[in-house]
Amino acid sequence: MPQVTVTRRLTFNAAHRVHNPALSDAENTRLFGKCNNPNWHGHNYSLEVSITGDPDPVTGYVIDLGEVKRIVEREYVSIVDHKNFNLDVPFMQGTNPTTENIIIACWRVLEPALRPGRLTRLRIWETENNYVEYEGR
Amino acid sequence: MPQVTVTRRLTFNAAHRVHNPALSDAENTRLFGKCNNPNWHGHNYSLEVSITGDPDPVTGYVIDLGEVKRIVEREYVSIVDHKNFNLDVPFMQGTNPTTENIIIACWRVLEPALRPGRLTRLRIWETENNYVEYEGR
Amino acid sequence: MPQVTVTRRLTFNAAHRVHNPALSDAENTRLFGKCNNPNWHGHNYSLEVSITGDPDPVTGYVIDLGEVKRIVEREYVSIVDHKNFNLDVPFMQGTNPTTENIIIACWRVLEPALRPGRLTRLRIWETENNYVEYEGR
Amino acid sequence: MPQVTVTRRLTFNAAHRVHNPALSDAENTRLFGKCNNPNWHGHNYSLEVSITGDPDPVTGYVIDLGEVKRIVEREYVSIVDHKNFNLDVPFMQGTNPTTENIIIACWRVLEPALRPGRLTRLRIWETENNYVEYEGR
Amino acid sequence: MPQVTVTRRLTFNAAHRVHNPALSDAENTRLFGKCNNPNWHGHNYSLEVSITGDPDPVTGYVIDLGEVKRIVEREYVSIVDHKNFNLDVPFMQGTNPTTENIIIACWRVLEPALRPGRLTRLRIWETENNYVEYEGR
Amino acid sequence: MPQVTVTRRLTFNAAHRVHNPALSDAENTRLFGKCNNPNWHGHNYSLEVSITGDPDPVTGYVIDLGEVKRIVEREYVSIVDHKNFNLDVPFMQGTNPTTENIIIACWRVLEPALRPGRLTRLRIWETENNYVEYEGR
């Protein structure tokens, strides 16, 4: 059976501060520089959600991407959009919101929510010059 | 020998209707929503064709991408560009033209045509928010 | 009072056929080439709606772009998205749906709907390689 | 003398909250919705700075865009990048940081700093779907 | 009669060196820095050609953009693509190939070639971070 | 331990000529066409550098992308930016600067420089229509 990967892109924007509360302010400044600004900064994030499978013989879809959009908006984007990753997002509490930690938490939220669709890759662009990818392992 | 993947992007636009003629109209509407419009809709598709191999010691090319462009235009783009996927494309007859089925049919056309170049990935963007990928297996 | 222009971008996709029914088939083919395909083709359109004014002293907005989005979706995008410009769009009936004619009709729909916001420019991208602009005069 | 407009694009990211302190919280929520989140949100901004003039006969430049970049980074980007528009930016104090107000303040900073270059247009993209333009009048 | 502006985008790539032969090498280095490298550097240029007019009542076109593409390719792109602006381009001889001078020379070539179409704007992107515009006066 | 891939994009521009000095001029012309122009041509290259690892528990980073940027600028971009790949770049001497050979040489430079970061993929866009990828094997 041919395995096709389908991807839906969604965007959101949020504030954050890269900060480890277990470290001193001086250490946070040294490690994170301007990303540690106590008054926050923010980004337009672009999230790509990829699901792999064989197309259904009846629909021709691996999964209905309209349904993927609805699930990702309900389970993830509505929680983080126009929010502060450090203060407002329950599943990020106690986590330093680097893009690496954001994508791992995003996987934990979306992987079960998208079943039986099989999530195989997330990609998050933080700016036009950097992005992260995670395949769940 | 180092294996490099080279990719050529080409664009085309086409009309289609996501529709399974084995199902009732009501069922088609339920499954495919506005994508089932009987009067068609359409997209600007962007197709990325990737070929992997070791660069030829004489040319420094895995494959001449100008030649890839000519083959893909002759064998695929000229058949689908400014056409209707449901009505005009011989190798899509009897196939519901979801992007998943479009990419599988595209692989069947291009994989033999590009030999001895080794096609390893196709990616098709249907809109700026969704794309599909297929590696031929 | 400083005049600022604010722009909201929206996307939709549609099928069309460039065709003048007053001309013979041969003449239509000669004038419009592959764009005259009787089985239609289609595009992902990107529409930019620009409104000019001085920012409101209370809100800091020329106009609430969320409201612009709602108006443009209700009055225009919902009528044309996933539709056929020749067959499905009431305000395009009897009009050859070139991008020029599409943008003039779009202005006629949006200019009154956006008042008291002052529409000053529309831009429509038909493909990544061509777009049209209209300032209402 | 031919008048050419040259443009340099720069990017930065910042947090903000659309909020008018003269209004009640309820009124702020009603007017600004999710953009009023008290914990802030943020954006990747893209700023386009345009200068018009006739090319210098010796250099062939209207203005050295490397010099434009240095001025804009020193006078504007270094003040706002990775900052909070409401809390950290001296020339935005007391101003509701809508994109309209951001671009007017940006003009006030850059227009004198770029002289004798003649600033003729600023454009700021707040997201991929909205931008503002200002020509200084 | 409504005036619509239609734009066709074309791309090409070329080598150049920003250099004024009337100046000393030291002066050229001081003025142009790394852009003065005697061994050249190069760019992917993106050229936007805009023509304004009222749509023809028969065709619905201001001008056939396919014809614009053919004219611009024949008269300009075929002369500069994969070429060296300082050495290979007849209409740039004796001209320092800054983007300003490139766009003025491009206008001189295209404006008569596109008649009776009325060329109203050229825009040339030299990199993703800088572009120039010229309206022929 | 979750393995995340982080990517930093950087841009540069350079001149080159696709040419094999071991072949005759006629053979070079036949093989490389306009890319063999003896007076060079050039491109805006976009380089994506990807590093894979588990996020550090203290920083939340796989690697500090600011540090990646500094290393790639110092070890690679500063050597090739605004340069001629055939004439100016020490580690390309004797190599035909196809994008395939450029990416292999880039890997040889960056892989040791980025350690202990584990370089897992390079991608280089030569134009908006073609790119190459290399995973070091």
Side-chain angles (χ1 to χ4, degrees):
Chain A
M1 300 290 285
Q3 296 290 298
V4 176
T5 297
V6 300
T7 299
R8 188 62 166 76
R9 189 179 79 96
L10 299 99
T11 59
F12 60 93
N13 53 73
H16 78 150
R17 178 195 190 191
V18 183
H19 184 75
N20 181 342
L23 303 176
S24 68
D25 283 0
E27 191 68 358
N28 272 294
T29 299
R30 190 184 67 77
L31 284 172
F32 303 123
K34 61 186 179 182
C35 299
N36 185 244
N37 178 21
N39 287 333
W40 324 98
H41 65 284
H43 298 287
N44 302 329
Y45 293 89
S46 171
L47 166 66
E48 301 176 27
V49 178
S50 297
I51 289 164
T52 302
D54 54 301
D56 182 284
V58 173
T59 63
Y61 285 158
V62 169
I63 189 170
D64 180 346
L65 283 179
E67 183 64 9
V68 170
K69 181 181 182 234
R70 281 185 291 275
I71 293 169
V72 177
E73 285 183 338
R74 186 184 65 223
E75 302 290 330
Y76 189 75
V77 171
S78 68
I79 316 297
V80 300
D81 186 36
H82 284 76
K83 294 291 169 53
N84 182 308
F85 266 118
N86 303 64
L87 301 179
D88 293 331
V89 179
F91 52 77
M92 294 292 292
Q93 292 316 297
T95 305
N96 184 2
T98 61
T99 323
E100 289 90 328
N101 285 336
I102 288 172
I103 203 170
I104 292 171
C106 181
W107 182 281
R108 285 185 189 137
V109 169
L110 290 182
E111 191 275 331
L114 289 163
R115 288 182 203 160
R118 181 160 58 93
L119 181 64
T120 51
R121 186 181 63 219
L122 293 176
R123 184 182 292 129
I124 298 180
W125 289 80
E126 188 187 54
T127 73
E128 66 186 37
N129 290 325
N130 62 291
Y131 60 88
V132 298
E133 295 164 294
Y134 184 49
E135 300 185 355
R137 53 179 193 267
Chain B
M1 300 290 286
Q3 296 291 297
V4 176
T5 296
V6 300
T7 298
R8 187 61 166 78
R9 189 179 79 95
L10 298 99
T11 60
F12 59 94
N13 54 74
H16 77 151
R17 177 194 190 192
V18 183
H19 184 74
N20 181 342
L23 303 175
S24 68
D25 284 358
E27 191 68 357
N28 272 293
T29 299
R30 190 184 66 78
L31 284 172
F32 303 124
K34 62 185 177 179
C35 299
N36 186 243
N37 177 21
N39 286 335
W40 326 97
H41 65 284
H43 299 286
N44 302 330
Y45 293 90
S46 172
L47 166 65
E48 301 177 27
V49 178
S50 297
I51 289 164
T52 303
D54 53 301
D56 182 285
V58 173
T59 62
Y61 285 158
V62 168
I63 189 171
D64 180 347
L65 283 179
E67 182 65 9
V68 170
K69 182 182 181 232
R70 282 185 289 276
I71 293 169
V72 177
E73 285 182 339
R74 185 183 67 223
E75 302 291 331
Y76 189 75
V77 171
S78 68
I79 316 299
V80 301
D81 187 35
H82 283 77
K83 295 290 168 53
N84 183 309
F85 266 118
N86 303 65
L87 301 178
D88 294 330
V89 179
F91 52 77
M92 294 292 292
Q93 291 317 296
T95 306
N96 185 2
T98 60
T99 322
E100 288 91 328
N101 284 337
I102 289 171
I103 203 170
I104 293 170
C106 181
W107 182 281
R108 285 185 190 137
V109 168
L110 290 182
E111 191 277 330
L114 289 164
R115 286 181 205 161
R118 181 160 58 93
L119 181 64
T120 50
R121 187 182 62 220
L122 294 176
R123 184 182 291 131
I124 298 180
W125 290 78
E126 188 187 54
T127 73
E128 65 187 39
N129 291 324
N130 63 291
Y131 60 88
V132 298
E133 295 163 294
Y134 184 48
E135 301 186 354
R137 52 181 191 268
Chain C
M1 300 290 286
Q3 297 290 297
V4 177
T5 296
V6 299
T7 299
R8 188 62 166 77
R9 189 178 79 94
L10 298 98
T11 59
F12 59 94
N13 54 74
H16 78 150
R17 178 196 189 190
V18 183
H19 184 76
N20 181 341
L23 304 176
S24 68
D25 284 359
E27 192 67 359
N28 271 295
T29 298
R30 191 185 65 78
L31 284 172
F32 303 123
K34 61 186 179 180
C35 300
N36 186 243
N37 178 19
N39 287 333
W40 324 97
H41 65 284
H43 297 287
N44 302 330
Y45 293 90
S46 172
L47 165 65
E48 301 177 27
V49 178
S50 297
I51 289 164
T52 302
D54 54 300
D56 183 285
V58 173
T59 62
Y61 286 157
V62 169
I63 189 170
D64 180 346
L65 284 179
E67 182 65 8
V68 171
K69 180 180 182 235
R70 280 185 291 274
I71 292 169
V72 177
E73 284 182 339
R74 184 184 66 224
E75 302 291 329
Y76 189 75
V77 171
S78 68
I79 316 299
V80 301
D81 187 35
H82 283 77
K83 294 290 170 54
N84 182 309
F85 266 117
N86 303 65
L87 301 179
D88 293 330
V89 179
F91 52 76
M92 295 291 293
Q93 291 316 296
T95 306
N96 185 2
T98 61
T99 323
E100 288 91 330
N101 285 337
I102 289 172
I103 203 170
I104 292 170
C106 181
W107 183 281
R108 285 184 189 138
V109 169
L110 291 183
E111 191 276 330
L114 289 163
R115 287 181 203 160
R118 181 160 59 92
L119 181 64
T120 51
R121 187 181 63 220
L122 293 177
R123 185 181 291 130
I124 298 180
W125 289 80
E126 188 187 55
T127 73
E128 66 185 39
N129 291 324
N130 63 290
Y131 60 90
V132 299
E133 296 163 294
Y134 184 49
E135 301 185 354
R137 51 179 194 267
Chain D
M1 300 289 286
Q3 296 290 297
V4 177
T5 296
V6 300
T7 299
R8 187 64 166 77
R9 190 179 79 95
L10 298 98
T11 59
F12 59 92
N13 54 73
H16 78 150
R17 178 194 188 191
V18 183
H19 184 75
N20 181 342
L23 303 176
S24 69
D25 284 359
E27 192 66 359
N28 271 295
T29 298
R30 190 185 66 79
L31 285 172
F32 303 123
K34 60 185 180 181
C35 300
N36 186 244
N37 177 20
N39 287 332
W40 325 97
H41 65 285
H43 297 289
N44 303 328
Y45 293 90
S46 171
L47 166 66
E48 301 177 27
V49 178
S50 296
I51 289 164
T52 302
D54 54 300
D56 182 284
V58 173
T59 63
Y61 286 157
V62 169
I63 189 172
D64 180 347
L65 284 179
E67 182 64 7
V68 171
K69 181 182 182 233
R70 280 185 291 276
I71 293 169
V72 177
E73 284 183 339
R74 185 184 65 223
E75 302 289 331
Y76 189 75
V77 171
S78 68
I79 316 298
V80 300
D81 186 34
H82 283 78
K83 295 289 169 54
N84 183 308
F85 266 118
N86 304 64
L87 302 179
D88 293 330
V89 179
F91 51 77
M92 294 292 293
Q93 292 315 297
T95 306
N96 185 2
T98 61
T99 323
E100 289 90 330
N101 285 336
I102 289 172
I103 203 170
I104 292 170
C106 181
W107 183 281
R108 286 185 189 137
V109 169
L110 290 182
E111 192 276 331
L114 289 163
R115 287 181 204 159
R118 181 160 57 93
L119 181 64
T120 51
R121 187 182 61 220
L122 293 177
R123 185 180 291 129
I124 298 181
W125 290 79
E126 187 187 56
T127 73
E128 66 186 39
N129 291 325
N130 63 291
Y131 61 88
V132 299
E133 295 165 293
Y134 184 49
E135 301 186 353
R137 52 178 194 269
Chain E
M1 301 288 286
Q3 298 289 298
V4 177
T5 296
V6 299
T7 299
R8 187 62 165 77
R9 189 179 80 95
L10 298 98
T11 60
F12 59 94
N13 53 74
H16 79 150
R17 178 195 188 190
V18 183
H19 184 76
N20 181 341
L23 303 176
S24 68
D25 284 0
E27 192 67 358
N28 272 295
T29 298
R30 189 184 68 79
L31 284 172
F32 303 123
K34 62 186 179 181
C35 299
N36 185 243
N37 177 20
N39 287 332
W40 324 97
H41 65 284
H43 298 288
N44 303 329
Y45 293 90
S46 172
L47 166 66
E48 300 176 29
V49 178
S50 296
I51 289 163
T52 302
D54 54 300
D56 182 284
V58 174
T59 63
Y61 286 156
V62 168
I63 190 170
D64 181 346
L65 283 179
E67 183 65 8
V68 170
K69 181 181 182 232
R70 281 185 291 275
I71 293 170
V72 178
E73 284 183 338
R74 185 183 66 223
E75 302 291 329
Y76 188 75
V77 171
S78 68
I79 316 298
V80 301
D81 186 35
H82 284 78
K83 295 290 169 54
N84 182 308
F85 266 118
N86 303 64
L87 302 179
D88 293 330
V89 179
F91 52 78
M92 294 293 291
Q93 291 316 296
T95 306
N96 184 2
T98 61
T99 322
E100 289 91 328
N101 285 337
I102 289 172
I103 203 170
I104 292 171
C106 181
W107 183 281
R108 287 186 188 136
V109 169
L110 291 182
E111 191 276 330
L114 289 163
R115 287 181 204 159
R118 181 159 58 93
L119 181 64
T120 50
R121 186 182 63 219
L122 293 177
R123 184 181 291 130
I124 298 181
W125 290 80
E126 188 187 55
T127 73
E128 67 185 37
N129 290 325
N130 64 290
Y131 60 88
V132 299
E133 294 164 294
Y134 184 49
E135 300 185 355
R137 51 178 194 268
Chain F
M1 300 288 287
Q3 297 290 298
V4 177
T5 296
V6 299
T7 298
R8 188 61 166 77
R9 189 179 80 94
L10 298 98
T11 60
F12 59 92
N13 54 73
H16 78 150
R17 177 195 189 191
V18 182
H19 184 74
N20 181 343
L23 303 176
S24 69
D25 284 359
E27 192 67 358
N28 271 294
T29 299
R30 190 185 66 78
L31 284 172
F32 303 123
K34 61 186 179 179
C35 299
N36 186 243
N37 178 20
N39 286 333
W40 324 98
H41 65 284
H43 298 287
N44 302 328
Y45 293 90
S46 171
L47 166 65
E48 300 176 28
V49 178
S50 297
I51 289 165
T52 302
D54 54 301
D56 182 285
V58 174
T59 62
Y61 286 157
V62 169
I63 189 171
D64 180 346
L65 284 179
E67 182 65 8
V68 170
K69 182 181 182 232
R70 281 186 290 275
I71 292 170
V72 176
E73 285 183 338
R74 185 183 68 222
E75 302 290 331
Y76 189 75
V77 171
S78 68
I79 316 298
V80 300
D81 186 35
H82 284 76
K83 294 292 169 52
N84 182 308
F85 266 118
N86 303 64
L87 302 179
D88 293 331
V89 179
F91 52 77
M92 294 292 292
Q93 292 315 297
T95 305
N96 184 2
T98 60
T99 322
E100 289 91 328
N101 285 337
I102 289 171
I103 203 170
I104 292 171
C106 182
W107 183 281
R108 285 185 189 137
V109 169
L110 290 182
E111 191 276 330
L114 289 163
R115 287 181 204 161
R118 181 159 58 93
L119 181 65
T120 50
R121 187 181 63 221
L122 294 176
R123 185 181 292 129
I124 298 180
W125 289 80
E126 188 187 55
T127 74
E128 66 187 38
N129 291 324
N130 63 290
Y131 60 88
V132 298
E133 294 163 294
Y134 184 48
E135 300 185 355
R137 54 178 191 266

